[in-house]
PDB file of all heavy atoms in Angstrom:
ATOM      1  N   LYS A  21      98.758  81.379 108.458  1.00 82.00           N
ATOM      2  CA  LYS A  21      97.946  81.507 107.245  1.00 82.00           C
ATOM      3  C   LYS A  21      97.269  82.836 107.195  1.00 82.00           C
ATOM      4  O   LYS A  21      97.192  83.481 106.136  1.00 82.00           O
ATOM      5  CB  LYS A  21      96.916  80.374 107.224  1.00 82.00           C
ATOM      6  CG  LYS A  21      96.118  80.311 105.913  1.00 82.00           C
ATOM      7  CD  LYS A  21      95.187  79.121 105.920  1.00 82.00           C
ATOM      8  CE  LYS A  21      94.431  79.003 104.612  1.00 82.00           C
ATOM      9  NZ  LYS A  21      93.647  80.175 104.303  1.00 82.00           N
ATOM     10  N   LEU A  22      96.774  83.271 108.375  1.00 83.00           N
ATOM     11  CA  LEU A  22      96.129  84.592 108.416  1.00 83.00           C
ATOM     12  C   LEU A  22      97.111  85.713 108.061  1.00 83.00           C
ATOM     13  O   LEU A  22      96.786  86.647 107.339  1.00 83.00           O
ATOM     14  CB  LEU A  22      95.534  84.801 109.799  1.00 83.00           C
ATOM     15  CG  LEU A  22      94.787  86.137 110.018  1.00 83.00           C
ATOM     16  CD1 LEU A  22      93.605  86.238 109.038  1.00 83.00           C
ATOM     17  CD2 LEU A  22      94.302  86.264 111.452  1.00 83.00           C
ATOM     18  N   ALA A  23      98.374  85.562 108.621  1.00 78.00           N
ATOM     19  CA  ALA A  23      99.405  86.568 108.310  1.00 78.00           C
ATOM     20  C   ALA A  23      99.760  86.563 106.835  1.00 78.00           C
ATOM     21  O   ALA A  23      99.958  87.627 106.213  1.00 78.00           O
ATOM     22  CB  ALA A  23     100.650  86.306 109.149  1.00 78.00           C
ATOM     23  N   ALA A  24      99.830  85.334 106.290  1.00 81.00           N
ATOM     24  CA  ALA A  24     100.135  85.227 104.861  1.00 81.00           C
ATOM     25  C   ALA A  24      99.030  85.848 104.024  1.00 81.00           C
ATOM     26  O   ALA A  24      99.294  86.542 103.024  1.00 81.00           O
ATOM     27  CB  ALA A  24     100.358  83.769 104.478  1.00 81.00           C
ATOM     28  N   ASP A  25      97.776  85.572 104.454  1.00 82.00           N
ATOM     29  CA  ASP A  25      96.651  86.162 103.711  1.00 82.00           C
ATOM     30  C   ASP A  25      96.687  87.684 103.800  1.00 82.00           C
ATOM     31  O   ASP A  25      96.416  88.395 102.828  1.00 82.00           O
ATOM     32  CB  ASP A  25      95.336  85.603 104.260  1.00 82.00           C
ATOM     33  CG  ASP A  25      95.173  84.108 103.961  1.00 82.00           C
ATOM     34  OD1 ASP A  25      95.884  83.605 103.028  1.00 82.00           O
ATOM     35  OD2 ASP A  25      94.387  83.451 104.659  1.00 82.00           O
ATOM     36  N   GLU A  26      96.955  88.151 105.019  1.00 82.00           N
ATOM     37  CA  GLU A  26      97.030  89.612 105.201  1.00 82.00           C
ATOM     38  C   GLU A  26      98.159  90.214 104.349  1.00 82.00           C
ATOM     39  O   GLU A  26      98.005  91.288 103.768  1.00 82.00           O
ATOM     40  CB  GLU A  26      97.238  89.933 106.670  1.00 82.00           C
ATOM     41  CG  GLU A  26      96.020  89.635 107.535  1.00 82.00           C
ATOM     42  CD  GLU A  26      96.276  89.919 109.012  1.00 82.00           C
ATOM     43  OE1 GLU A  26      97.452  90.250 109.344  1.00 82.00           O
ATOM     44  OE2 GLU A  26      95.325  89.872 109.797  1.00 82.00           O
ATOM     45  N   LYS A  27      99.309  89.462 104.329  1.00 80.00           N
ATOM     46  CA  LYS A  27     100.424  89.921 103.544  1.00 80.00           C
ATOM     47  C   LYS A  27     100.063  89.970 102.063  1.00 80.00           C
ATOM     48  O   LYS A  27     100.354  90.956 101.361  1.00 80.00           O
ATOM     49  CB  LYS A  27     101.647  89.020 103.751  1.00 80.00           C
ATOM     50  CG  LYS A  27     102.875  89.448 102.974  1.00 80.00           C
ATOM     51  CD  LYS A  27     104.024  88.483 103.226  1.00 80.00           C
ATOM     52  CE  LYS A  27     105.254  88.925 102.400  1.00 80.00           C
ATOM     53  NZ  LYS A  27     106.382  87.970 102.601  1.00 80.00           N
ATOM     54  N   GLU A  28      99.401  88.904 101.584  1.00 82.00           N
ATOM     55  CA  GLU A  28      99.003  88.859 100.192  1.00 82.00           C
ATOM     56  C   GLU A  28      98.013  89.955  99.859  1.00 82.00           C
ATOM     57  O   GLU A  28      98.104  90.596  98.802  1.00 82.00           O
ATOM     58  CB  GLU A  28      98.412  87.495  99.878  1.00 82.00           C
ATOM     59  CG  GLU A  28      98.098  87.289  98.389  1.00 82.00           C
ATOM     60  CD  GLU A  28      97.579  85.893  98.111  1.00 82.00           C
ATOM     61  OE1 GLU A  28      97.524  85.077  99.036  1.00 82.00           O
ATOM     62  OE2 GLU A  28      97.241  85.645  96.919  1.00 82.00           O
ATOM     63  N   SER A  29      97.078  90.171 100.834  1.00 82.00           N
ATOM     64  CA  SER A  29      96.105  91.250 100.623  1.00 82.00           C
ATOM     65  C   SER A  29      96.809  92.598 100.567  1.00 82.00           C
ATOM     66  O   SER A  29      96.467  93.479  99.739  1.00 82.00           O
ATOM     67  CB  SER A  29      95.069  91.222 101.765  1.00 82.00           C
ATOM     68  OG  SER A  29      94.352  90.016 101.754  1.00 82.00           O
ATOM     69  N   ALA A  30      97.788  92.762 101.472  1.00 80.00           N
ATOM     70  CA  ALA A  30      98.534  94.023 101.466  1.00 80.00           C
ATOM     71  C   ALA A  30      99.303  94.222 100.164  1.00 80.00           C
ATOM     72  O   ALA A  30      99.349  95.328  99.625  1.00 80.00           O
ATOM     73  CB  ALA A  30      99.488  94.056 102.668  1.00 80.00           C
ATOM     74  N   ILE A  31      99.910  93.084  99.679  1.00 83.00           N
ATOM     75  CA  ILE A  31     100.647  93.177  98.409  1.00 83.00           C
ATOM     76  C   ILE A  31      99.723  93.536  97.272  1.00 83.00           C
ATOM     77  O   ILE A  31     100.020  94.394  96.438  1.00 83.00           O
ATOM     78  CB  ILE A  31     101.394  91.858  98.151  1.00 83.00           C
ATOM     79  CG1 ILE A  31     102.543  91.684  99.157  1.00 83.00           C
ATOM     80  CG2 ILE A  31     101.940  91.834  96.736  1.00 83.00           C
ATOM     81  CD1 ILE A  31     103.211  90.316  99.099  1.00 83.00           C
ATOM     82  N   LYS A  32      98.540  92.837  97.263  1.00 81.00           N
ATOM     83  CA  LYS A  32      97.575  93.116  96.210  1.00 81.00           C
ATOM     84  C   LYS A  32      97.092  94.569  96.279  1.00 81.00           C
ATOM     85  O   LYS A  32      96.935  95.244  95.258  1.00 81.00           O
ATOM     86  CB  LYS A  32      96.403  92.166  96.306  1.00 81.00           C
ATOM     87  CG  LYS A  32      96.743  90.737  95.919  1.00 81.00           C
ATOM     88  CD  LYS A  32      95.528  89.827  96.032  1.00 81.00           C
ATOM     89  CE  LYS A  32      95.850  88.382  95.602  1.00 81.00           C
ATOM     90  NZ  LYS A  32      94.679  87.494  95.706  1.00 81.00           N
ATOM     91  N   LEU A  33      96.870  94.994  97.564  1.00 83.00           N
ATOM     92  CA  LEU A  33      96.441  96.387  97.739  1.00 83.00           C
ATOM     93  C   LEU A  33      97.509  97.368  97.258  1.00 83.00           C
ATOM     94  O   LEU A  33      97.210  98.377  96.598  1.00 83.00           O
ATOM     95  CB  LEU A  33      96.098  96.623  99.207  1.00 83.00           C
ATOM     96  CG  LEU A  33      95.619  98.048  99.568  1.00 83.00           C
ATOM     97  CD1 LEU A  33      94.319  98.371  98.797  1.00 83.00           C
ATOM     98  CD2 LEU A  33      95.401  98.180 101.070  1.00 83.00           C
ATOM     99  N   ALA A  34      98.767  97.039  97.633  1.00 80.00           N
ATOM    100  CA  ALA A  34      99.873  97.908  97.199  1.00 80.00           C
ATOM    101  C   ALA A  34      99.986  97.901  95.669  1.00 80.00           C
ATOM    102  O   ALA A  34     100.215  98.947  95.056  1.00 80.00           O
ATOM    103  CB  ALA A  34     101.171  97.449  97.842  1.00 80.00           C
ATOM    104  N   GLU A  35      99.873  96.699  95.086  1.00 79.00           N
ATOM    105  CA  GLU A  35      99.933  96.620  93.626  1.00 79.00           C
ATOM    106  C   GLU A  35      98.813  97.410  92.989  1.00 79.00           C
ATOM    107  O   GLU A  35      99.016  98.118  91.987  1.00 79.00           O
ATOM    108  CB  GLU A  35      99.869  95.157  93.196  1.00 79.00           C
ATOM    109  CG  GLU A  35     101.142  94.372  93.503  1.00 79.00           C
ATOM    110  CD  GLU A  35     101.000  92.903  93.097  1.00 79.00           C
ATOM    111  OE1 GLU A  35      99.867  92.512  92.759  1.00 79.00           O
ATOM    112  OE2 GLU A  35     102.018  92.171  93.134  1.00 79.00           O
ATOM    113  N   ALA A  36      97.585  97.281  93.616  1.00 82.00           N
ATOM    114  CA  ALA A  36      96.459  98.029  93.083  1.00 82.00           C
ATOM    115  C   ALA A  36      96.696  99.526  93.199  1.00 82.00           C
ATOM    116  O   ALA A  36      96.417 100.294  92.261  1.00 82.00           O
ATOM    117  CB  ALA A  36      95.171  97.619  93.823  1.00 82.00           C
ATOM    118  N   ASN A  37      97.216  99.939  94.399  1.00 83.00           N
ATOM    119  CA  ASN A  37      97.503 101.375  94.592  1.00 83.00           C
ATOM    120  C   ASN A  37      98.570 101.852  93.589  1.00 83.00           C
ATOM    121  O   ASN A  37      98.477 102.957  93.029  1.00 83.00           O
ATOM    122  CB  ASN A  37      97.955 101.613  96.018  1.00 83.00           C
ATOM    123  CG  ASN A  37      96.826 101.398  97.037  1.00 83.00           C
ATOM    124  OD1 ASN A  37      95.632 101.543  96.702  1.00 83.00           O
ATOM    125  ND2 ASN A  37      97.194 101.054  98.274  1.00 83.00           N
ATOM    126  N   LEU A  38      99.643 101.021  93.433  1.00 81.00           N
ATOM    127  CA  LEU A  38     100.701 101.387  92.496  1.00 81.00           C
ATOM    128  C   LEU A  38     100.180 101.473  91.072  1.00 81.00           C
ATOM    129  O   LEU A  38     100.515 102.395  90.315  1.00 81.00           O
ATOM    130  CB  LEU A  38     101.850 100.384  92.586  1.00 81.00           C
ATOM    131  CG  LEU A  38     103.054 100.649  91.674  1.00 81.00           C
ATOM    132  CD1 LEU A  38     103.685 102.004  91.988  1.00 81.00           C
ATOM    133  CD2 LEU A  38     104.114  99.538  91.830  1.00 81.00           C
ATOM    134  N   LYS A  39      99.329 100.472  90.734  1.00 81.00           N
ATOM    135  CA  LYS A  39      98.741 100.469  89.407  1.00 81.00           C
ATOM    136  C   LYS A  39      97.894 101.699  89.179  1.00 81.00           C
ATOM    137  O   LYS A  39      97.965 102.345  88.125  1.00 81.00           O
ATOM    138  CB  LYS A  39      97.933  99.197  89.211  1.00 81.00           C
ATOM    139  CG  LYS A  39      97.372  99.030  87.812  1.00 81.00           C
ATOM    140  CD  LYS A  39      96.645  97.712  87.684  1.00 81.00           C
ATOM    141  CE  LYS A  39      96.081  97.538  86.269  1.00 81.00           C
ATOM    142  NZ  LYS A  39      95.370  96.254  86.144  1.00 81.00           N
ATOM    143  N   ASN A  40      97.098 102.049  90.207  1.00 84.00           N
ATOM    144  CA  ASN A  40      96.270 103.249  90.099  1.00 84.00           C
ATOM    145  C   ASN A  40      97.128 104.509  89.956  1.00 84.00           C
ATOM    146  O   ASN A  40      96.798 105.414  89.185  1.00 84.00           O
ATOM    147  CB  ASN A  40      95.350 103.341  91.318  1.00 84.00           C
ATOM    148  CG  ASN A  40      94.309 102.237  91.357  1.00 84.00           C
ATOM    149  OD1 ASN A  40      93.895 101.721  90.300  1.00 84.00           O
ATOM    150  ND2 ASN A  40      93.865 101.850  92.570  1.00 84.00           N
ATOM    151  N   ALA A  41      98.223 104.538  90.800  1.00 83.00           N
ATOM    152  CA  ALA A  41      99.117 105.701  90.724  1.00 83.00           C
ATOM    153  C   ALA A  41      99.759 105.801  89.331  1.00 83.00           C
ATOM    154  O   ALA A  41      99.858 106.898  88.758  1.00 83.00           O
ATOM    155  CB  ALA A  41     100.189 105.623  91.799  1.00 83.00           C
ATOM    156  N   LEU A  42     100.222 104.626  88.825  1.00 81.00           N
ATOM    157  CA  LEU A  42     100.814 104.622  87.491  1.00 81.00           C
ATOM    158  C   LEU A  42      99.807 105.025  86.428  1.00 81.00           C
ATOM    159  O   LEU A  42     100.141 105.763  85.490  1.00 81.00           O
ATOM    160  CB  LEU A  42     101.389 103.239  87.183  1.00 81.00           C
ATOM    161  CG  LEU A  42     102.621 102.822  87.989  1.00 81.00           C
ATOM    162  CD1 LEU A  42     102.996 101.373  87.682  1.00 81.00           C
ATOM    163  CD2 LEU A  42     103.808 103.730  87.696  1.00 81.00           C
ATOM    164  N   GLN A  43      98.600 104.526  86.577  1.00 82.00           N
ATOM    165  CA  GLN A  43      97.562 104.894  85.627  1.00 82.00           C
ATOM    166  C   GLN A  43      97.282 106.394  85.677  1.00 82.00           C
ATOM    167  O   GLN A  43      97.077 107.039  84.647  1.00 82.00           O
ATOM    168  CB  GLN A  43      96.291 104.083  85.900  1.00 82.00           C
ATOM    169  CG  GLN A  43      96.427 102.617  85.502  1.00 82.00           C
ATOM    170  CD  GLN A  43      95.176 101.817  85.826  1.00 82.00           C
ATOM    171  OE1 GLN A  43      94.263 102.317  86.520  1.00 82.00           O
ATOM    172  NE2 GLN A  43      95.101 100.564  85.359  1.00 82.00           N
ATOM    173  N   ASP A  44      97.228 106.923  86.912  1.00 83.00           N
ATOM    174  CA  ASP A  44      97.021 108.377  87.062  1.00 83.00           C
ATOM    175  C   ASP A  44      98.145 109.148  86.401  1.00 83.00           C
ATOM    176  O   ASP A  44      97.928 110.159  85.705  1.00 83.00           O
ATOM    177  CB  ASP A  44      96.891 108.739  88.538  1.00 83.00           C
ATOM    178  CG  ASP A  44      95.635 108.163  89.174  1.00 83.00           C
ATOM    179  OD1 ASP A  44      94.682 107.847  88.404  1.00 83.00           O
ATOM    180  OD2 ASP A  44      95.598 108.049  90.424  1.00 83.00           O
ATOM    181  N   GLU A  45      99.437 108.702  86.688  1.00 83.00           N
ATOM    182  CA  GLU A  45     100.590 109.391  86.105  1.00 83.00           C
ATOM    183  C   GLU A  45     100.573 109.284  84.584  1.00 83.00           C
ATOM    184  O   GLU A  45     100.853 110.251  83.879  1.00 83.00           O
ATOM    185  CB  GLU A  45     101.889 108.792  86.659  1.00 83.00           C
ATOM    186  CG  GLU A  45     103.161 109.511  86.240  1.00 83.00           C
ATOM    187  CD  GLU A  45     103.273 110.888  86.841  1.00 83.00           C
ATOM    188  OE1 GLU A  45     102.654 111.119  87.906  1.00 83.00           O
ATOM    189  OE2 GLU A  45     103.998 111.723  86.262  1.00 83.00           O
ATOM    190  N   LEU A  46     100.234 108.072  84.117  1.00 82.00           N
ATOM    191  CA  LEU A  46     100.156 107.877  82.674  1.00 82.00           C
ATOM    192  C   LEU A  46      99.068 108.750  82.051  1.00 82.00           C
ATOM    193  O   LEU A  46      99.254 109.326  80.971  1.00 82.00           O
ATOM    194  CB  LEU A  46      99.899 106.400  82.361  1.00 82.00           C
ATOM    195  CG  LEU A  46      99.833 106.006  80.892  1.00 82.00           C
ATOM    196  CD1 LEU A  46     101.159 106.314  80.210  1.00 82.00           C
ATOM    197  CD2 LEU A  46      99.500 104.514  80.748  1.00 82.00           C
ATOM    198  N   ALA A  47      97.966 108.854  82.765  1.00 84.00           N
ATOM    199  CA  ALA A  47      96.878 109.697  82.282  1.00 84.00           C
ATOM    200  C   ALA A  47      97.309 111.156  82.199  1.00 84.00           C
ATOM    201  O   ALA A  47      96.996 111.873  81.248  1.00 84.00           O
ATOM    202  CB  ALA A  47      95.652 109.536  83.179  1.00 84.00           C
ATOM    203  N   LYS A  48      98.065 111.595  83.268  1.00 85.00           N
ATOM    204  CA  LYS A  48      98.556 112.971  83.264  1.00 85.00           C
ATOM    205  C   LYS A  48      99.503 113.205  82.077  1.00 85.00           C
ATOM    206  O   LYS A  48      99.429 114.233  81.410  1.00 85.00           O
ATOM    207  CB  LYS A  48      99.272 113.263  84.577  1.00 85.00           C
ATOM    208  CG  LYS A  48      98.326 113.332  85.778  1.00 85.00           C
ATOM    209  CD  LYS A  48      99.123 113.644  87.039  1.00 85.00           C
ATOM    210  CE  LYS A  48      98.171 113.703  88.287  1.00 85.00           C
ATOM    211  NZ  LYS A  48      98.921 113.963  89.520  1.00 85.00           N
ATOM    212  N   LYS A  49     100.450 112.219  81.871  1.00 83.00           N
ATOM    213  CA  LYS A  49     101.391 112.366  80.764  1.00 83.00           C
ATOM    214  C   LYS A  49     100.680 112.351  79.423  1.00 83.00           C
ATOM    215  O   LYS A  49     101.022 113.123  78.516  1.00 83.00           O
ATOM    216  CB  LYS A  49     102.443 111.268  80.819  1.00 83.00           C
ATOM    217  CG  LYS A  49     103.425 111.426  81.987  1.00 83.00           C
ATOM    218  CD  LYS A  49     104.511 110.375  81.935  1.00 83.00           C
ATOM    219  CE  LYS A  49     105.521 110.602  83.064  1.00 83.00           C
ATOM    220  NZ  LYS A  49     106.600 109.593  83.036  1.00 83.00           N
ATOM    221  N   GLU A  50      99.701 111.452  79.286  1.00 82.00           N
ATOM    222  CA  GLU A  50      98.943 111.399  78.048  1.00 82.00           C
ATOM    223  C   GLU A  50      98.206 112.703  77.811  1.00 82.00           C
ATOM    224  O   GLU A  50      98.132 113.203  76.682  1.00 82.00           O
ATOM    225  CB  GLU A  50      97.972 110.225  78.090  1.00 82.00           C
ATOM    226  CG  GLU A  50      98.660 108.862  77.969  1.00 82.00           C
ATOM    227  CD  GLU A  50      97.659 107.735  78.058  1.00 82.00           C
ATOM    228  OE1 GLU A  50      96.478 108.017  78.382  1.00 82.00           O
ATOM    229  OE2 GLU A  50      98.037 106.573  77.812  1.00 82.00           O
ATOM    230  N   LYS A  51      97.702 113.285  78.895  1.00 85.00           N
ATOM    231  CA  LYS A  51      97.010 114.551  78.781  1.00 85.00           C
ATOM    232  C   LYS A  51      97.971 115.657  78.341  1.00 85.00           C
ATOM    233  O   LYS A  51      97.663 116.486  77.471  1.00 85.00           O
ATOM    234  CB  LYS A  51      96.359 114.910  80.117  1.00 85.00           C
ATOM    235  CG  LYS A  51      95.542 116.185  80.071  1.00 85.00           C
ATOM    236  CD  LYS A  51      94.891 116.450  81.430  1.00 85.00           C
ATOM    237  CE  LYS A  51      94.074 117.756  81.402  1.00 85.00           C
ATOM    238  NZ  LYS A  51      93.471 118.047  82.722  1.00 85.00           N
ATOM    239  N   ALA A  52      99.215 115.664  79.002  1.00 84.00           N
ATOM    240  CA  ALA A  52     100.211 116.672  78.641  1.00 84.00           C
ATOM    241  C   ALA A  52     100.647 116.525  77.183  1.00 84.00           C
ATOM    242  O   ALA A  52     100.783 117.505  76.447  1.00 84.00           O
ATOM    243  CB  ALA A  52     101.415 116.582  79.561  1.00 84.00           C
ATOM    244  N   LEU A  53     100.871 115.235  76.770  1.00 82.00           N
ATOM    245  CA  LEU A  53     101.252 114.979  75.379  1.00 82.00           C
ATOM    246  C   LEU A  53     100.151 115.398  74.424  1.00 82.00           C
ATOM    247  O   LEU A  53     100.422 115.950  73.340  1.00 82.00           O
ATOM    248  CB  LEU A  53     101.585 113.506  75.193  1.00 82.00           C
ATOM    249  CG  LEU A  53     102.885 113.013  75.843  1.00 82.00           C
ATOM    250  CD1 LEU A  53     103.014 111.504  75.714  1.00 82.00           C
ATOM    251  CD2 LEU A  53     104.099 113.688  75.212  1.00 82.00           C
ATOM    252  N   ALA A  54      98.926 115.131  74.818  1.00 83.00           N
ATOM    253  CA  ALA A  54      97.815 115.538  73.981  1.00 83.00           C
ATOM    254  C   ALA A  54      97.756 117.057  73.836  1.00 83.00           C
ATOM    255  O   ALA A  54      97.502 117.588  72.752  1.00 83.00           O
ATOM    256  CB  ALA A  54      96.506 115.007  74.563  1.00 83.00           C
TER     257      ALA A  54
END
């Protein structure tokens, strides 16, 4: 259960990091388009 929790936390963290990265990239593109 602890491993599963850690895995889920890692997935959530990765998703959060990916989301942040995508948001950053999207922000950069929006800035360039602007």
Side-chain angles (χ1 to χ4, degrees):
K21 186 176 182 302
L22 181 60
D25 293 340
E26 290 178 355
K27 181 181 179 182
E28 187 177 357
S29 298
I31 291 172
K32 289 180 178 180
L33 180 61
E35 289 178 351
N37 292 334
L38 181 60
K39 185 177 180 180
N40 293 331
L42 291 174
Q43 288 178 350
D44 293 339
E45 186 68 24
L46 182 61
K48 290 180 181 178
K49 289 185 177 180
E50 288 178 351
K51 184 179 179 182
L53 289 174

